[in-house]
Amino acid sequence: MAEGYGAHLIKKPELVKDMVRQTQSRICQPDFSISIKIRLHKDIRETVDLCQKAEHAGISWVTVHGRTVQQRTEPVDYAAIKTINDSVLIPVVANGDIKYLEDVDKLHKNTGVKGVMAARGMLQNPAMYAGYENTPLQCVQDWVDIAVGLGTPFPCFHYHLIAMMERVTSKPEKKIFNTLHSTPAVLDYLKEHYDVQYNGQQQAKLTDRLDALHLKPSPLGSNIDS
């Protein structure tokens, strides 16, 4: 925020509107989508004004994190998200405190939004939207195959595993696993305790499957995080 970007931009609705229009003017693809992701102002009227300005500028949808910039662990403000949803015609996607599928249903029912975005919940359980309460071991195996096969840097590789295994490991296990310092050490631990090991052939199959599902990062979209 100190640099003037990110959540700082919610204080500058005219600038956000101009950014959306400038993005549109430089891309001549009719199916190119532009979205913004915002937090709440202390005065909900300011947030509604920002969303309406962005809507008129041509954004495809808006994602709303239901807290102010200053808030971190406070409950998500369902009423504020609903007010925004009722004030624009474009789809609104709600975000905040999504850890289980029942959280998705609760947020949707209380706000009427068109979509729900999960962040930390998906880190802890990538299979959440498939109906799993906790990360299935197959997710861990898939991540190992993909990450090792692509040469993912250790901090990122380890961080995701720590998050995925948060709910399924004991405190003594966390104390050991979370302090491992290299990819070989992590692979040795997973093989010994969970029979998970890198499978190069499986990684190739996963890559082919992702390609078939068109799940590689797409150039046809832009998000302005404000």
Side-chain angles (χ1 to χ4, degrees), residues 10 17 28 30 38 62 70 92 100 102 110 114 121 124 143 176 179 184 219 223 225:
I10 67 171
K17 182 173 71 173
C28 300
I38 65 171
V62 57
Q70 294 75 24
V92 173
Y100 299 95
E102 49 263 38
N110 280 279
K114 298 297 183 182
Q124 291 181 327
W143 173 240
I176 296 172
T179 56
N223 179 73
D225 194 344

Side-chain angles (χ1 to χ4, degrees), residues 99-100 121 124-125 133-134 163-169:
K99 299 177 181 178
Y100 299 95
Q124 291 181 327
N125 179 13
E133 284 287 312
N134 297 306
M164 288 196 294
M165 299 173 69
E166 172 70 23
R167 300 176 188 165
V168 296
T169 52

Side-chain angles (χ1 to χ4, degrees), residues 55-75:
E55 177 181 28
H56 294 153
I59 62 169
S60 307
W61 73 87
V62 57
T63 301
V64 180
H65 185 127
R67 295 185 177 94
T68 67
V69 173
Q70 294 75 24
Q71 294 176 323
R72 288 294 179 268
T73 59
E74 292 82 353

